Amino acid sequence: MINIRNVHKCFGDLEVLKGIDLDVNKGEVLSIIGGSGSGKSTLLYCINAIENIQKGQIIVDDIDVHAKKTYQDKLRQKLGMVFQQWNSFPHLTVLENAALAPRIVKKLSREESIEVAKQELEHVGLGDKFDVYPTKMSGGQQQRLAIARALAMKPDYMLFDEITSALDPELVGEVLDTLRLLREDGMTMICVTHEIAFAREVSDQVAFFNEGIIEEMGTPEQVISNPQKETTQKFLSKVL
Amino acid sequence: MDYQFHWNIVFQKMPEMLQGAFVTLHVSVLSMLIGIVIAVLLAIVKMNHSKPFCYVAIGWIEIARNTPALFQIYMAYFGLGALGIHLSPYVAVLSALIFINAGYLAETFRGGFMSIPKTQYSASKSLGMNSFQVYRYIILPQMFRRIYHPMTNQFVWSILMSSLGILVGMGELSGETQRLQSLSFRTLEFFIVAAVMYFIITKLVLFSSSLISRKLFRGEI
């Protein structure tokens, strides 16, 4: 379970998150929508401790992410993350991309790590690409590789940061299909996304971010189909 | 044109020419190895912005890159000599080449490092790697691919620039050639052969470097 309490985050003088409260239960899918600069990606980086926070608390399975005594490298094994720019490792083959972290971080044997990597790659439909270098693949394929690479660590949670925003339109579908698969597997996910239709379809909760606060939150029916706040209505009318 | 070529004397002196070529390789390899170690330090210090070391690094890099190699060698040989520090021609040329290689390579390394996107770091971190693992498995291997060919170029440059050893009486390929031609007056012949030897050496270096790179980097990037 992820509990977020009154989180504030500043970059210099600019306060990007102004008191965020959120809870995500095991097996739930939370989608975060909102305009650019609203702080939604920053929150993901804070959950993963890639960014620090100035105030508040983020608790993942009873571990305070930003406490001094927390061993963040270890904690990140619980939290898989996929980025807008897929960030594949260009000097490694697809298989090595997915097998590296299980081997060096989880200390699996070479055979075990390759086994896990192959399973996850097949799961996302890259079973025929093991020996290919990522730069030779399409953005959609690289993004699916990034998902498989994160899944190979067997995380308890997956954080998705606008993972379809940098893709050509015709490649968005294959990546969303992969997320639907994960949803069926019962993976707990936080998706920062601009795919409103997708968010409505898969989410248990939707949060609308506006200028560093959660403007509106609830089920997809409440927030997307029937928004109460004017800012939410305005945003949705622009993107839908 | 009634120049009469006489090649015999050159072939007789071949062992001495080869000995000179060996010294050339020796000094340039050594100047690269030591230069690389210093360059790594200079690059790290410069990127860390920690004063006053940072200024030392910047000073070193700027002087090495913006003054003629000939001056560096003169400084090491005659300059230090005037101050009472007498280096042998070999050590003088070696120190000058190290000084320049370190300056150039420091910028190559810094550029290679900066060219790796920061996102590679966060992506690796998000997989649970610690900082050491991120550098060991992700950043440095990619950086090495980018600096490999510039490093080869610097090596070739060192081989060719070591010929300036001729000016301080060093016994490398050019120095030997100079000495032998002055004994025999077959200036043109000796310098033609020396040029061919330089050409063969640098071509061999470039060829082996590209073989190694194909082995190391396989198909990617």
Side-chain angles (χ1 to χ4, degrees), chain A residues 71-74 76-77 104-105 107, chain B residues 121 124-139:
Chain A
Y71 183 29
Q72 293 175 334
D73 290 333
K74 174 103 183 138
R76 288 196 193 94
Q77 295 182 32
I104 65 171
V105 177
K107 312 285 181 208
Chain B
Y121 188 84
S124 315
K125 274 276 166 184
S126 79
L127 289 166
M129 293 186 212
N130 61 37
S131 296
F132 173 77
Q133 290 169 328
V134 178
Y135 284 105
R136 160 74 182 79
Y137 293 99
I138 306 299
I139 310 281

Side-chain angles (χ1 to χ4, degrees), chain A residues 48-67:
Chain A
N48 211 353
I50 289 175
E51 291 287 351
N52 57 6
I53 59 176
Q54 272 69 48
K55 208 174 134 188
Q57 243 185 352
I58 299 176
I59 310 229
V60 175
D61 292 343
D62 299 327
I63 303 167
D64 184 345
V65 177
H66 296 275

Side-chain angles (χ1 to χ4, degrees), chain A residues 45 56 58 71 83 97 101 104 109 133 147-148 159 161 180 188 231:
Chain A
Y45 283 82
I58 299 176
Y71 183 29
F83 301 80
N97 258 273
I104 65 171
S109 72
Y133 283 93
I147 297 171
L159 311 174
D161 183 20
R180 289 188 183 99
T188 314
T231 42

Side-chain angles (χ1 to χ4, degrees), chain B residues 70-220:
Chain B
L70 176 65
F71 281 32
Q72 314 295 351
I73 293 174
Y74 268 32
M75 286 296 169
Y77 192 70
F78 299 114
L80 290 180
L83 297 176
I85 305 167
H86 297 284
L87 303 180
S88 72
Y90 181 90
V91 175
V93 171
L94 176 63
S95 339
L97 290 182
I98 289 173
F99 181 77
I100 303 167
N101 281 345
Y104 272 95
L105 290 172
E107 284 300 85
T108 305
F109 293 170
R110 199 175 63 89
F113 183 81
M114 309 277 273
S115 74
I116 309 295
K118 288 257 178 317
T119 48
Q120 289 280 307
Y121 188 84
S122 22
S124 315
K125 274 276 166 184
S126 79
L127 289 166
M129 293 186 212
N130 61 37
S131 296
F132 173 77
Q133 290 169 328
V134 178
Y135 284 105
R136 160 74 182 79
Y137 293 99
I138 306 299
I139 310 281
L140 292 180
Q142 289 187 58
M143 180 185 153
F144 186 62
R145 283 161 170 76
R146 299 189 190 189
I147 63 176
Y148 181 85
H149 293 292
M151 272 166 71
T152 307
N153 287 343
Q154 191 66 31
F155 183 33
V156 168
W157 181 94
S158 306
I159 293 171
L160 298 180
M161 280 303 153
S162 69
S163 65
L164 290 172
I166 196 174
L167 295 160
V168 292
M170 180 186 173
E172 40 65 61
L173 181 51
S174 297
E176 275 302 285
T177 309
Q178 165 78 355
R179 188 178 64 81
L180 293 169
Q181 67 87 22
S182 70
L183 294 176
S184 64
F185 299 106
R186 303 318 307 177
T187 309
L188 188 54
E189 287 88 336
F190 270 108
F191 276 103
I192 288 174
V193 170
V196 170
M197 287 171 77
Y198 274 115
F199 189 85
I200 292 172
I201 293 172
T202 54
K203 275 296 164 194
L204 278 177
V205 167
L206 288 169
F207 180 68
S208 11
S209 153
S210 90
L211 273 190
I212 295 170
S213 82
R214 248 174 269 169
K215 192 99 186 148
L216 282 179
F217 308 145
R218 293 169 290 177
E220 90 286 19

Side-chain angles (χ1 to χ4, degrees), chain A residues 8-9 20 22-23 50 64 80 83 94 112 123 151 153 160 178 193 201 206:
Chain A
H8 289 254
K9 164 76 189 169
I20 300 291
L22 267 180
D23 294 294
I50 289 175
D64 184 345
F83 301 80
V94 165
E112 286 169 326
H123 199 50
L151 289 175
M153 288 299 287
F160 296 100
T178 309
T193 185
E201 171 197 333
V206 175

